[in-house]
């Protein structure tokens, strides 16, 4: 049995960003590996199954070109990892590839745990894996090869005689530490980039998954925090540097610094093994301190993405992340003093938010003066508490409707429950970006720090996207 994974382009963000920023995110300026696929591929290789990954997004392939590669490879199944927000776009690819190749389609990913029945309502999708895919996927592939009855495979859904069938759930008992590192040898590593990248090739890594904190808007499923040991993480860093020549690693852990002793150990190991690599993390401002910042900087950390979200204490309380503004101020100050680049994330349009609250946030952002900011419109996502409340209040499960094909319904989501219409929120978002980025002092500082023509071009594109 051989199998192919396809990573279709991203086309998800218009509801969340401004149109121009969305275009930039879905263009060649922001392309990152699909870790879910790369992990599963590594697991299949270990199980003796031949695998190919076609990263159609990174390689800028059309559906036709991708289908041609699938035909040539002639796999027993074509697999996709689905996230809710990109579902309809992925679906158009699934349909296009199925039409051209006729190969069985297997899908997995968080979308399958949230809306399995809705996803399976599309006849082009043959099998869905619900929850962990590690053991389920090889078993399902073998069952397909043997033309066995899929009802024997736990953790899947499929159709029989037009009826939706779901097998018994499979308990997820494997952690990232129990499986091989991502199969980067199957990825076009030289194609990955972001607007802030300074050295290529780059990659993504996960040192931990999930988050035990409970911010009200957060859609990270509750109760799934798992952290890899420092030794395991640093072994993968070494593989990235020594085998793949990676020069920059973007850790995508939800909050990298949750467990400080683990982080200090990771830093120690990077230094003691002499690994030269730039890295960045995401963190909450209340989970950093001087010592940890110094240790991370000493081990190559170049950037922290801080979730700051609001400059209004009442809004922060409503978001269930009651972090005192002074703690945020101090975290950003320390980080800048250590020479680490700061990126602040902000949300506007949270339920109950007013124009004055947004003004507070803009003022706070200007005061913090991070190197970069990202301003997102509040778009409730499943399975967050804010989304659950919305569904209870309105009786409409918006993302379910979207999954069933009603893309237009998402236009109602930005800022829902706040005092802003979606169009007004767009204007606030643009105003926020412009007020921040078009300050002469800010522009001057940025230009002084530019390292290369490629970086200048990236920043120019980013600046133009917020006009
Ligand atoms: C790394 C990461 C990224 C990376 C890589 C994307 C990817 N899908 O791998 C980047 C930065 C590119 C990214 C982008 C985005 N991401 Co992201 N990302 C993550 C993160 C942190 C880790 C994913 C991961 O690799 N986990 C490790 C793997 C092994 O676990 P897994 O993905 O759960 O996969 C297991 C099962 O789900 C299943 N499985 C998954 N796929 C498949 C496929 C098949 C065929 C089978 C059989 C099984 C299977 O088997 C795996 C092993 O058990 C998760 C959060 C998290 N903690 O999981 C968010 C997450 C997946 N991202 C999310 C979102 C919203 C996005 C964006 C839309 C963000 C944006 N606004 O632009 C884009 C969409 C990109 C896309 N087209 O998928 C959401 C998805 C929510 C949802 N309801 O679907 C998550 C869950 C975070 C969150 N809660 O908000 N992301
Ligand atoms: S928003 Fe970040 S810190 Fe808050 S619960 Fe989600 S992942 Fe954790």
């Amino acid at each position: 049995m051989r199998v192919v994974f396809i990573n279709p382009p991203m086309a998800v963000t218009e509801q969340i960003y401004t149109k121009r920023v969305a275009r930039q995110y879905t263009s060649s300026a922001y392309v990152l590996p699909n870790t879910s696929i790369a992990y599963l591929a590594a697991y299949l290789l270990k199980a003796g199954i031949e695998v190919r990954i076609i990263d159609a997004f990174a390689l800028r392939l059309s559906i036709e070109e991708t289908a041609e590669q699938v035909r040539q490879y002639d796999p027993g199944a074509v697999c996709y990892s689905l996230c809710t927000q990109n579902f309809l776009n992925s679906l158009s690819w699934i349909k296009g590839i199925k039409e051209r190749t006729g190969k069985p389609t297997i899908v997995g990913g968080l979308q399958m745990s949230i809306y399995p029945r809705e996803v399976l309502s599309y006849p082009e999708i043959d099998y869905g894996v619900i929850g962990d895919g590690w053991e389920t996927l090889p078993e399902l592939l073998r069952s397909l090869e043997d033309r066995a009855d899929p009802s024997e495979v736990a953790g899947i859904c499929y159709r029989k005689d037009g009826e939706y069938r779901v097998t018994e759930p499979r308990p997820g008992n494997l952690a990232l530490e129990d499986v091989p590192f991502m199969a980067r040898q199957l990825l076009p590593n030289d194609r990955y980039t972001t607007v802030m990248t300074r050295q290529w090739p780059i990659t993504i890594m996960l040192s931990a998954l999930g988050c035990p904190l409970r911010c009200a808007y957060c859609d990270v499923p509750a109760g799934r925090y798992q952290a890899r040991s420092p030794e395991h993480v640093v072994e993968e860093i070494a593989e990235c540097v020594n085998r793949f020549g990676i020069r920059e690693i973007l850790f995508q852990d939800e909050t990298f610094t949750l467990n400080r002793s683990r982080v200090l150990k990771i830093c120690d190991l990077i230094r003691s093994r002499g690994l030269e690599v730039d890295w960045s993390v995401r963190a909450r401002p209340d989970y950093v301190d001087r010592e940890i910042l110094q240790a991370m900087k000493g081990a190559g950390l170049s950037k922290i993405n801080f979730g700051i979200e609001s400059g209004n204490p009442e809004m922060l309380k409503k978001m269930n992340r009651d972090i005192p503004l002074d703690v945020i101020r101090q975290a950003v100050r320390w980080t800048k003093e250590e020479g680490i680049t700061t990126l602040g994330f902000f949300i506007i349009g949270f339920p109950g938010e007013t124009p004055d609250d947004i003004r507070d946030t803009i003022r706070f952002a200007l005061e913090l003066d991070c190197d970069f900011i990202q301003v997102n419109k509040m778009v409730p996502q499943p399975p967050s508490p804010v989304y659950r409340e919305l569904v209870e209040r309105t009786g409409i499960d918006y993302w379910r409707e979207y999954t069933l094909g009603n893309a237009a319904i998402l236009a109602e989501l930005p800022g829902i429950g706040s005092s802003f219409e979606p169009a007004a929120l767009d204007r606030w978002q643009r105003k926020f970006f412009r007020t921040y980025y078009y300050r002469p002092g800010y522009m001057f500082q940025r230009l002084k720090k530019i390292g290369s023509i490629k970086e200048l071009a990236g920043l120019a594109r980013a600046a133009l996207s917020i006009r």
Side-chain angles (χ1 to χ4, degrees):
M1 169 65 93
R2 61 167 85 106
V3 62
V4 71
F5 283 91
I6 295 179
N7 187 39
M10 238 169 95
V12 285
T13 37
E14 232 169 70
Q15 281 82 21
I16 301 168
Y17 305 106
T18 62
K19 277 205 170 90
R20 285 205 171 96
V21 173
R23 223 175 293 144
Q24 179 197 320
Y25 265 70
T26 51
S27 74
S28 54
Y30 192 83
V31 186
L32 291 169
N34 188 306
T35 44
S36 314
I37 289 179
Y39 258 120
L40 284 166
Y43 194 81
L44 292 185
L45 285 177
K46 196 177 155 210
I49 295 169
E50 205 187 304
V51 192
R52 180 173 291 180
I53 296 175
I54 304 179
D55 192 337
F57 182 30
L59 297 170
R60 323 273 317 149
L61 298 177
S62 65
I63 294 184
E64 187 48 63
E65 288 162 334
T66 308
E68 183 48 35
Q69 293 199 11
V70 174
R71 275 193 295 262
Q72 280 176 17
Y73 188 58
D74 195 23
V78 181
C79 298
Y80 302 82
S81 183
L82 300 179
C83 88
T84 308
Q85 292 76 359
N86 198 32
F87 176 67
L88 288 183
N89 181 55
S90 298
L91 181 66
S92 66
W93 273 70
I94 291 171
K95 288 182 173 175
I97 300 291
K98 181 76 172 217
E99 219 173 80
R100 291 167 175 82
T101 68
K103 298 287 178 193
T105 304
I106 303 177
V107 299
L110 193 53
Q111 169 75 336
M112 287 313 295
S113 302
I114 307 179
Y115 299 118
R117 189 179 277 271
E118 291 76 9
V119 171
L120 257 281
S121 69
Y122 294 96
E124 296 79 6
I125 298 176
D126 302 293
Y127 303 94
V129 169
I130 301 175
D132 273 1
W134 306 120
E135 286 153 328
T136 315
L137 184 55
E139 234 179 76
L140 174 60
L141 292 170
R142 297 219 160 90
S143 151
L144 279 178
E145 194 172 35
D146 299 344
R147 300 184 190 281
D149 184 351
S151 66
E152 301 287 310
V153 182
I156 66 162
C157 53
Y158 61 101
R159 272 179 318 274
K160 191 167 182 190
D161 306 325
E163 293 279 306
Y164 173 78
R165 301 286 170 94
V166 57
T167 62
E168 65 179 89
R170 184 187 294 265
N173 52 7
L174 285 184
L176 286 185
E177 193 139 339
D178 305 324
V179 298
F181 301 147
M182 281 179 242
R184 291 188 175 81
Q185 69 276 24
L186 302 181
L187 296 173
N189 293 309
D190 55 341
R191 291 298 187 110
Y192 300 119
T193 191
T194 76
V195 278
M196 279 181 232
T197 302
R198 300 177 80 129
Q199 341 188 36
W200 293 264
I202 65 168
T203 194
I204 293 187
M205 202 179 287
L206 301 163
S207 94
L209 271 180
C211 177
L213 308 173
R214 291 288 167 263
C215 305
Y217 55 83
C218 181
D219 56 353
V220 171
R224 287 197 69 192
Y225 181 66
Q226 48 153 306
R228 295 163 59 194
S229 70
E231 290 75 12
H232 200 250
V233 174
V234 177
E235 198 49 49
E236 187 178 356
I237 297 178
E239 182 185 85
C240 285
V241 174
N242 300 331
R243 180 173 172 198
F244 300 109
I246 298 290
R247 299 182 65 197
E248 193 173 310
I249 298 174
L250 283 64
F251 280 95
Q252 290 286 308
D253 308 23
E254 273 81 10
T255 35
F256 187 83
T257 53
L258 270 176
N259 178 338
R260 64 191 301 283
S261 61
R262 193 182 77 104
V263 174
L264 291 174
K265 181 79 186 164
I266 289 176
C267 296
D268 266 359
L269 289 171
I270 294 176
R271 274 201 318 271
S272 64
R273 292 187 62 167
L275 295 168
E276 297 272 333
V277 66
D278 242 349
W279 45 288
S280 64
V281 300
R282 306 192 282 190
R284 253 175 59 151
D286 51 343
Y287 280 85
V288 297
D289 55 51
R290 271 270 191 217
E291 190 193 357
I292 211 170
L293 289 166
Q294 276 166 358
M296 292 196 294
K297 172 73 182 172
L301 178 83
S302 60
K303 179 161 77 71
I304 300 191
N305 300 337
F306 278 123
I308 296 168
E309 318 307 1
S310 175
N312 178 286
E314 282 311 306
M315 289 315 301
L316 284 171
K317 247 186 228 142
K318 284 189 184 145
M319 291 176 183
N320 199 27
R321 46 186 293 136
D322 198 0
I323 311 172
L325 296 187
D326 273 344
V327 169
I328 302 176
R329 285 187 182 100
Q330 194 173 47
V332 173
R333 196 175 54 242
W334 281 339
T335 310
K336 291 204 287 195
E337 281 168 10
E338 291 304 325
I340 300 165
T341 300
T342 49
L343 189 156
F345 278 88
F346 296 90
I347 295 179
I348 57 170
F350 194 79
E353 193 166 52
T354 65
D356 276 346
D357 299 332
I358 297 190
R359 283 188 194 99
D360 283 347
T361 303
I362 298 178
R363 264 196 300 274
F364 191 52
L366 292 170
E367 181 199 329
L368 294 174
D369 198 24
C370 291
D371 295 288
F372 302 96
I373 58 161
Q374 179 57 268
V375 182
N376 292 324
K377 293 179 276 181
M378 177 65 208
V379 178
Q381 318 268 359
S384 67
V386 166
Y387 187 70
R388 277 201 308 271
E389 277 162 31
L390 175 70
V391 174
E392 268 166 37
R393 183 158 49 81
T394 59
I396 306 170
D397 186 341
Y398 292 82
W399 287 101
R400 177 176 183 274
E401 296 302 316
Y402 160 84
T403 298
L404 290 172
N406 182 3
I409 199 165
L410 295 189
E412 296 173 31
L413 277 180
I416 196 163
S418 70
S419 54
F420 304 97
E421 292 295 319
L425 206 55
D426 277 344
R427 286 196 294 278
W428 274 105
Q429 191 186 29
R430 268 197 306 276
K431 182 181 161 72
F432 200 146
F433 274 130
R434 280 204 222 113
T435 311
Y436 196 86
Y437 281 121
Y438 290 177
R439 289 174 291 160
Y442 173 84
M443 289 200 227
F444 181 66
Q445 286 304 324
R446 280 268 58 79
L447 285 170
K448 275 203 319 198
K449 290 183 186 166
I450 298 271
S452 69
I453 296 287
K454 201 167 171 184
E455 195 187 338
L456 178 63
L459 280 174
R461 265 203 307 270
L464 288 173
S465 72
I466 56 176
R467 276 178 306 161

